[in-house]
Amino acid sequence: MTSSSAAVHIDAYYKTNQRHLAWSFWASLTALIIGLVVLVVGVGLALAGYASAISVATTAGGVLTQFIGAGFFFLYTRNLKQLNVFYATLVQRDDIVFAYNLTSLIPENLKASVIHSMINTLLVRNGPSIELSGDLVRALNEKRP
């Protein structure tokens, strides 16, 4: 997969998940609004002196709908966090593929040092700063079959 096609796939993935998150947000908000309206109607019926069973049932339905809406918002928040983690991982993968493709454009006399710097940068991108030493490179080469 080329870097440009990977970028297209990443963009499509992100847009699809953004649409799903938008639907989740609006469903959550709708459930909370409906729950609030039902709850207010139930309390209004109770205060107006209507049959207690109707007012209690309506109020309980409103409270239940509020809990459902809150659950929807909880899931929305978790999905949003998960989307950001997955998207960041995909972007990092695309960066690696792009950097690897660029190595073919480097003159041969500079290629070893540039690849050395690129590997070092990729290894320490999200971790503590560790310099890629010759010993580490030899150890990695020895582990290869």
Side-chain angles (χ1 to χ4, degrees), residues 117-136:
S117 297
M118 183 181 73
I119 291 171
N120 188 43
T121 301
L122 291 173
L123 286 175
V124 300
R125 179 171 27 188
N126 292 327
S129 181
I130 300 171
E131 189 65 32
L132 182 62
S133 66
D135 294 333
L136 181 57

Side-chain angles (χ1 to χ4, degrees), residues 7-23 83 87 90:
V8 169
H9 288 295
I10 290 171
D11 190 48
Y13 169 80
Y14 190 74
K15 286 180 182 177
T16 299
N17 282 295
Q18 284 290 66
R19 281 192 303 273
H20 291 164
L21 284 171
W23 278 103
L83 170 67
Y87 186 70
L90 288 173

Side-chain angles (χ1 to χ4, degrees), residues 29-90:
L29 192 60
T30 302
L32 286 173
I33 290 171
I34 290 171
L36 181 63
V37 168
V38 171
L39 184 62
V40 168
V41 167
V43 170
L45 288 173
L47 293 175
Y50 282 93
S52 64
I54 293 174
S55 62
V56 169
T58 306
T59 305
V63 169
L64 180 63
T65 308
Q66 288 289 310
F67 277 114
I68 292 170
F72 283 174
F73 263 120
F74 174 75
L75 292 175
Y76 165 76
T77 305
R78 301 247 341 204
N79 288 338
L80 185 61
K81 287 179 185 176
Q82 190 174 23
L83 170 67
N84 290 333
V85 168
F86 287 152
Y87 186 70
T89 303
L90 288 173

